[in-house]
Amino acid sequence: MYDVIIVGAGYAGAVSARRLADKGKKVLILEKRNHIGGNAFDEPDDYGILIHTYGPHIFHTNSKDVYDFLGQFTKWMPYHHKVVGNVYGKFIPIPFNLNSIRLVYDEDKANNLIEKLIKEYGRETAIPILQLRANKDEDIKELAEYVYENVFVKYTGKQWGVKPHEIDEAVTARVPVILTEEDGYFTDEYQAMPSEGYTELFEKMLSHPSIDIRLNTDAGDCIKLEDGHIFFECIEFNGTVIYTGMADELFDRCFGALPYRSLRFEFEHYQKDSYQTEAVVNYTVNEDFTRITEFKKMTGQQAEGTTIMKEYSLNFEPDTDMIPYYAILNDENKALYKKYNALAANYENLYLLGRLAEYKYYNMDAITKKALELCERMV
Ligand code: FAD
Ligand code: UDP
C-alpha cells in the first residue's frame, strides 16, 4: 500500500515525505511523539506565549533552494538573531567580534589588537577559537586566551562535559571569532522565522493526500530488520524505508550505545514586557545553565507578559524517556557510528537520514538540503 515508510516527523522525515509525495509516492510516517516537527516543534504555553518546546530554533541558510522549498509552507519573517554573553555581569556580543574587543579592552589596546588581527586575517574573516589560540603573536595569543577562558571553556564544559579541544573542532568553530563590527549570531544570507511558527510550517508541509501519519508510534514496535529483509507489522516490506531515529537503537545497540547529550529545560513566565536585552543570553562563565532564551524577542509575538527558558545539558541515558539532542562528536564515537552504518548498508532499501541516524550536527537548513538531495537520487 505504501511506497515509502519514514520513521520520524522532524525535518529529515517531513521534508523527505513531502518531496516524495510530490513525486507521486505514497508515504507513511511513523512518529513516536504525539506531534510532528521533531525538535523544531513549537506551541503556545499556558500564557499564550509561543515557545520552542525543545530549545530555541532560528532558521538561517545560504541556500536559496532550501529557503524557497520551506517557503512554500510558511511566510518567512526576517529576523536577525543576536546573542550576548554574560561575562561576570558584562554583556558582550557573541560571536566575539570587534565590538566585543572594544568592550573588553581600553581604547589603545583594542585598536592595537584590531589592527593586528585585520592585518593577519583580513576584515570580516571568521576564525575558529582553537585556530586563534595557535597564533604566535603575544597580543593575539592574550586575546585568544581571554576568549577561550571567558566564552568557551565553561560554556563548553556545561554543554559537553569536556574541554573545547576534547570535542570535534567543528563544534566550537560554529561560533568563531569574527572580525566585523556587525553583531549577529549567524552570517547567512537568509535569516528568518516562520511567521506562524514551525509547527504550522510542518502541518502545511505534511498536508498532502499521499502522506499518512501515525503519531505515538515507535518504529521499534512495528519495523524489524532481519538478514537483509525489512518487515513492517510482520510482513516483508519491499518499499523504501527512511529512518531518522538513533542508528544504534535500530540495531538493538549491538555494538554498544552511541553517546549523546540531552537537555533539560526550565520555563519561567513573568508579568513584564521584557526579561533581557536579546532573545538569547549565553552564560559563559557562571550559572549551571548554558543560556536563557526569551521567546517573544525571537518570534516577534506581541503579547502581555514574557516566557523565558533556561537550558541545562546532561548525558543522555538510553532506554529512558530522555531525548538525545546532540551527537557527541569525537573520533571514538564516529568510529562506533561507522559500525552501525555498515550494518544498515546490508539493507538495500534502508536510508539513514538526519541528526540522529547519521550521528551529525545538522542545522535545519543542512538537513533539509540533505533530504531533498536524497529524494532526488531515489526517484
Ligand atoms: P529530529 O528533529 O530529532 O527528528 C527526529 C524525529 O524522529 C523525532 O520527532 C523523533 O521523535 C522521531 N523518532 C526517533 N526515533 C523514532 C522511532 N524509533 N520511532 C518513531 N519516531 C522516532 N538548527 C538550526 O538551523 N537553527 C537553530 O537555531 C537550531 N537550534 C537548535 C537548538 C537545539 C536545542 C537543538 C537540539 C537543535 C537545534 N537545531 C537548530 C538543529 C535542529 O533541531 C535539527 O537540524 C533538526 O531538528 C534535525 O531534524 P531531524 O529530523 O534530523 O531530527
Ligand atoms: N560555545 C561556547 N560559548 C558560547 C557559544 C558557543 O563555548 O557562548 C561553543 C559550545 O561548545 C557550543 C558550540 O560552541 O556547544 C556551538 O554553539 P552553538 O550556539 O552553535 O550551539 P547550539 O545552538 O547548536 O546548541
Side-chain angles (χ1 to χ4, degrees), residues 7-12 30-33 38-39 54-58 60 217-219 244-245 249 263 291 311 325-326 354-356 362-364 367:
V7 177
Y11 269 97
L30 310 175
E31 169 55 61
K32 69 177 171 191
R33 298 184 193 175
N39 290 338
Y54 305 101
H57 279 70
I58 301 102
H60 55 104
T217 306
D218 192 324
T244 77
E249 195 174 59
L263 296 170
R291 55 188 174 187
E311 208 168 320
Y325 286 99
Y326 296 95
R355 254 203 183 197
L356 300 172
Y362 279 125
N363 284 334
M364 296 183 279
I367 188 54

Side-chain angles (χ1 to χ4, degrees), residues 151-152 155-156 160 171 174-175 185 282 284 291 326 361:
V151 176
F152 285 94
Y155 188 103
T156 299
W160 301 100
V171 173
R174 287 169 58 90
V175 188
Y185 209 57
N282 285 2
T284 58
R291 55 188 174 187
Y326 296 95
Y361 203 147

Side-chain angles (χ1 to χ4, degrees), residues 42 49-52 77 79 193-195 197 279 294-302:
D42 53 18
I49 308 290
L50 185 67
I51 56 165
H52 293 183
M77 179 189 86
Y79 168 70
M193 297 291 281
S195 60
E294 184 176 6
F295 292 103
K296 263 175 33 170
K297 293 212 161 68
M298 178 181 286
T299 60
Q301 186 182 6
Q302 301 295 320

